[in-house]
Amino acid sequence: MKMNTQADRIKVQEYAAPYDLVSYLNEYHRSIAAPDEFWVEQSRLLDWKSPFSKVRNVDFGTQGVTIRWFEDGVLNACVNCVDRHLGQRGNQTAILWESDEPGVTEKITYSELHASVCRLANGLRALGIRKGDCVAIYLPMIPEVAIAMLACARIGAIHSVVFAGFSADALAGRVRDCGARLVITADASVRAGKRIPLKSNVDEALRSCPLVEKCIVVARTSADVDWDAERDVRYVELVDAQSRECEPEWMNAEDPLFVLYTSGSTGTPKGVLHTTAGYLLSCALSHRHVFDLREDDIYWCSADVGWITGHSYIVYGPLANGATTLMFEGVPTYPSPSRFWEICDRHGVTIFYTAPTAIRALMREGDDHVRSTDRSSLRVLGSVGEPINPEAWRWYFEIVGDGRCPVVDTWWQTETGTIMIAPIPGVTPLKPGSATFPLFGVEPVLVNNSGDEIEGAGEGLLCLKQAGPGIMRTIYGDPKRFFKTYFGRIPGLYFTGDGCRRDEDGYYWITGRIDDVINVSGHRLGTAEIESALVAHPAVAEAAVVGYPHETKGQGIHAFITVKAGIEETEKLLGELRLSVRRQIGPIAQPDVIQWAASLPKTRSGKIMRRVLRKLAEGQTNDLGDMSTLAEPGVVATLAKSTQARG
Ligand code: 6R9
């Protein structure tokens, strides 16, 4: 292994870097100091129907926020992801699909993608969908999910993809919030050899969604499903009747592209709104640099399209760049923990992007499952979703990448739309566990609790002074909440919700959420959402949920439950509570631990002291910190005792 470790920094010597660090930093500083000039140049990465005259109209103000980019430009995101590649890449694979069943694959060329997208876009128009209408997409990891997103983009409809692992209730809430008029789903999804019904969830959800007129159903399996002849439309029948050409809707740069729901520290999930040009440009630029994209790359991001990572780095980024993007339907451990690496070998994957939770889970299965595969096609490895611990980083680098492939740890959020802090392969010397330096146009700032900026090395709240054109524009239907959540806390800065350390070399180390958001296997969940699902059970008086360190998931979910007077704390009730969360949110939100609490520790003003519960959940029963504001000190002692008893 040729590797030069300068102090704690790793540089893969044999990697042919696209440019050197000094040029990168010069270009970065220019992007911060002269953003208009920089972004005008970058805007050539996209094809415009008519050019913009204004580059940037951005003000992270103390009274209100303006974020508008390229605001008089006109373009279409689907044309940029599909049509413009037809000349040179018509016969190149755009989407390389591997099903749950090993080796069952499908290759969709750019020409075929164009025809499929146009057909569905025409179908949507035939069903009455027009520019500005919202379409909910509740599909598994099959090519139709990308086709559906692009078809919406083509006709100017706003898509709202809902992760297929969410329950009927969670789907209904999202469909109602965005006012979707149409839902696209499948009969079922297939994961680890099992068929999981989807259409029945939609049927249940739509009972409380009066605005939905039509439901398009893809037949993934030959499962029998209930059918509402008035409302339901078979995907194949709809698209077969349509032409392979479809005139795109020309969109203003700031017209909405999609809404994607994500959890916050309070209340219901927020509909994060992204617009057309800035988002797409930022996807294309970041995808190109962070993965050092080259001609003939086979690029694979293992995320689900239901999350922002799937939107930006399975669909929009790679397709805008004319790349081949691999989409995988299954799970990392089926039929064996070698599956990821077998897929890499079968398709000659060159760039692989996954989450620390998957890395840790596979690491636990032992090195043999990796070593038995070749992986020599791999060139770049990426990580996203949560902090990657140095041990997992090293395993990924040394065992999976055989010490040849730079690991790019990418920090960003649903709200930022695209990668904000990450190394460039072969360019940025790596430190295991650090996302290293900001990308073009991104100016991070650390502030202390009083809102003062921290210069040089130090630790604080991670904020952004500049975020480039890909950042969210608002919370759908709730601009006040948007301002309050992201700009109301530290005047003049976008507040990320993450804690972060900057070391003496200027490297950024994300320490995790400092709010009531927990990150379970890379899935973002608000503790408030889980609590409300628990208290919905008639036996529950009160519930408090906190995260605790979990070996593979990153964080696990620990729920403290106070039952109503006269209710018994039984195993049966535990089962019902778990089910209640599965029903209302989905299996990912089911608590790992449920602990009965005679009462919860609260301040005199009635606020639950989560800081104390977090320590208890970690198994710490003494040194619980300052308790001077605790209303009833006895409560904590009782809980600590039951924590000890659990072992
Ligand atoms: C892209 C995505 C965002 C939150 C974010 C942070 C955590 C994501 C990370 C990371 C440390 C990384 N996060 N990437 N923490 N290092 N490389 O995951 O979006 O689902 O909105 O989650 O995830 O806490 O604030 P999203």
Side-chain angles (χ1 to χ4, degrees):
M1 186 189 314
K2 267 188 263 147
M3 193 178 89
N4 167 22
T5 310
Q6 177 204 347
D8 50 352
R9 269 167 278 191
I10 295 175
K11 191 136 195 239
V12 184
Q13 295 293 9
E14 67 201 62
Y15 191 96
Y19 38 78
D20 63 23
L21 185 61
V22 175
S23 344
Y24 176 72
L25 292 175
N26 284 342
E27 191 69 350
Y28 168 74
H29 288 301
R30 191 171 69 94
S31 76
I32 297 302
D36 283 29
E37 176 191 294
F38 178 84
W39 288 106
V40 166
E41 286 165 23
Q42 300 307 321
S43 69
R44 292 177 200 132
L45 285 174
L46 300 183
D47 276 7
W48 300 79
K49 174 78 173 169
S50 63
F52 54 89
S53 65
K54 299 181 202 156
V55 187
R56 202 173 52 112
N57 175 5
V58 177
D59 179 20
F60 292 179
T62 48
Q63 302 304 317
V65 185
T66 308
I67 310 175
R68 301 183 67 77
W69 284 82
F70 319 112
E71 56 186 315
D72 54 352
V74 175
L75 76 175
N76 181 284
C78 175
V79 169
N80 272 278
C81 290
V82 186
D83 304 41
R84 66 163 168 160
H85 305 309
L86 293 178
Q88 281 199 352
R89 305 180 186 276
N91 295 325
Q92 182 199 307
T93 304
I95 298 176
L96 173 47
W97 182 69
E98 164 123 351
S99 81
D100 184 63
E101 179 74 25
V104 175
T105 65
E106 201 179 307
K107 288 183 178 170
I108 301 172
T109 65
Y110 273 97
S111 301
E112 290 162 347
L113 182 63
H114 178 258
S116 300
V117 168
C118 285
R119 285 199 151 131
L120 181 59
N122 286 327
L124 290 171
R125 277 191 179 143
L127 294 174
I129 299 298
R130 294 288 176 269
K131 178 178 175 178
D133 287 341
C134 193
V135 171
I137 301 175
Y138 185 66
L139 280 171
M141 289 289 285
I142 53 178
E144 286 81 355
V145 72
I147 293 168
M149 291 162 76
L150 294 166
C152 288
R154 190 166 193 89
I155 62 168
I158 307 168
H159 61 69
S160 173
V161 181
V162 179
F163 172 53
F166 277 131
S167 68
D169 281 7
L171 171 64
R174 287 160 173 77
V175 167
R176 280 196 304 266
D177 189 82
C178 72
R181 295 183 48 208
L182 186 145
V183 179
I184 307 178
T185 191
D187 55 348
S189 69
V190 184
R191 282 166 76 79
K194 288 195 217 75
R195 192 148 75 182
I196 306 153
L198 285 183
K199 169 71 162 58
S200 53
N201 286 350
V202 177
D203 291 340
E204 191 184 329
L206 294 192
R207 275 181 224 133
S208 61
C209 301
L211 285 183
V212 175
E213 294 151 27
K214 293 285 173 192
C215 175
I216 302 174
V217 185
V218 178
R220 168 64 187 92
T221 73
S222 43
D224 265 345
V225 291
D226 288 344
W227 204 257
D228 175 338
E230 284 280 289
R231 183 196 69 194
D232 299 339
V233 180
R234 286 190 175 78
Y235 183 94
V236 192
E237 286 171 17
L238 177 73
V239 298
D240 276 358
Q242 304 297 330
S243 145
R244 302 161 57 102
E245 297 294 333
C246 170
E247 185 56 29
E249 188 76 41
W250 294 108
M251 306 294 282
N252 180 272
E254 283 296 342
D255 278 336
L257 180 61
F258 67 86
V259 175
L260 181 62
Y261 286 82
T262 191
S263 299
S265 46
T266 54
T268 50
K270 301 172 284 212
V272 170
L273 181 90
H274 285 286
T275 56
T276 305
Y279 169 79
L280 193 65
L281 176 57
S282 197
C283 280
L285 180 71
S286 56
H287 179 255
R288 194 167 274 244
H289 287 270
V290 173
F291 300 107
D292 179 26
L293 187 70
R294 299 180 189 174
E295 209 52 55
D296 302 326
D297 266 330
I298 304 289
Y299 162 87
W300 178 19
C301 166
S302 77
D304 192 284
V305 185
W307 310 114
I308 190 70
T309 306
H311 281 59
S312 306
Y313 298 107
I314 295 178
V315 181
Y316 287 112
L319 296 179
N321 285 330
T324 297
T325 181
L326 193 150
M327 180 186 275
F328 174 44
E329 184 183 38
V331 303
T333 48
Y334 174 83
S336 86
S338 294
R339 183 69 189 273
F340 271 2
W341 325 123
E342 283 163 5
I343 295 177
C344 289
D345 288 350
R346 176 152 46 242
H347 301 290
V349 171
T350 52
I351 305 169
F352 178 60
Y353 190 28
T354 194
T357 184
I359 300 168
R360 287 190 299 263
L362 295 174
M363 186 167 108
R364 251 175 38 158
E365 301 282 345
D367 299 357
D368 290 350
H369 293 288
V370 189
R371 292 199 200 276
S372 60
T373 61
D374 180 50
R375 287 161 289 105
S376 59
S377 59
L378 288 172
R379 190 183 77 243
V380 177
L381 298 172
S383 172
V384 61
E386 49 175 319
I388 177 163
N389 48 309
E391 195 197 357
W393 193 103
R394 287 187 183 279
W395 185 82
Y396 197 28
F397 178 71
E398 277 156 20
I399 307 300
V400 175
D402 286 320
R404 291 182 301 105
C405 311
V407 170
V408 291
D409 174 11
T410 63
W411 175 85
W412 57 294
Q413 313 177 297
T414 306
E415 293 89 336
T416 66
T418 59
I419 301 171
M420 296 279 110
I421 305 182
I424 308 293
V427 175
T428 317
L430 306 168
K431 293 192 187 190
S434 167
T436 75
F437 302 134
L439 280 194
F440 302 123
V442 179
E443 192 179 2
V445 185
L446 302 187
V447 300
N448 63 21
N449 277 321
S450 352
D452 305 320
E453 202 171 318
I454 299 167
E455 304 274 346
E459 186 165 342
L461 312 176
L462 178 62
C463 295
L464 303 175
K465 203 176 265 179
Q466 290 192 60
I471 194 172
M472 73 187 287
R473 298 302 193 258
T474 190
I475 294 176
Y476 198 64
D478 202 346
K480 283 205 183 99
R481 188 176 173 198
F482 171 61
F483 180 75
K484 190 164 161 253
T485 310
Y486 302 104
F487 298 93
R489 180 141 174 184
I490 320 273
L493 298 176
Y494 167 84
F495 172 62
T496 66
D498 280 315
C500 181
R501 181 167 71 82
R502 188 167 47 214
D503 71 16
E504 48 298 332
D505 301 316
Y507 280 66
Y508 287 82
W509 301 75
I510 312 298
T511 52
R513 301 292 301 198
I514 50 108
D515 53 12
D516 291 320
V517 170
I518 52 182
N519 194 324
V520 181
S521 302
H523 302 318
R524 233 171 106 167
L525 296 163
T527 51
E529 280 169 80
I530 309 174
E531 286 161 6
S532 90
L534 288 163
V535 294
H537 191 286
V540 174
E542 211 169 18
V545 167
V546 295
Y548 67 95
H550 186 285
E551 207 185 324
T552 48
K553 296 180 178 180
Q555 281 190 298
I557 304 171
H558 189 124
F560 295 87
I561 304 280
T562 308
V563 290
K564 287 186 184 152
I567 302 282
E568 259 187 84
E569 300 165 345
T570 59
E571 279 295 319
K572 179 166 169 277
L573 180 55
L574 279 181
E576 287 174 22
L577 291 175
R578 291 205 182 92
L579 188 67
S580 176
V581 176
R582 289 175 77 95
R583 282 240 174 89
Q584 288 173 72
I585 308 174
I588 50 170
Q590 178 176 298
D592 299 274
V593 178
I594 297 181
Q595 181 173 355
W596 304 117
S599 47
L600 295 170
K602 287 187 188 159
T603 61
R604 272 169 233 144
S605 62
K607 282 209 177 71
I608 295 174
M609 290 175 82
R610 288 167 189 285
R611 148 176 86 72
V612 173
L613 294 178
R614 262 181 228 126
K615 290 204 167 159
L616 290 172
E618 283 170 26
Q620 186 177 335
T621 51
N622 37 37
D623 286 339
L624 294 172
D626 177 22
M627 304 256 223
S628 53
T629 55
L630 193 65
E632 288 177 69
V635 168
V636 174
T638 316
L639 268 181
K641 231 186 251 162
S642 79
T643 305
Q644 269 163 351
R646 306 170 56 91

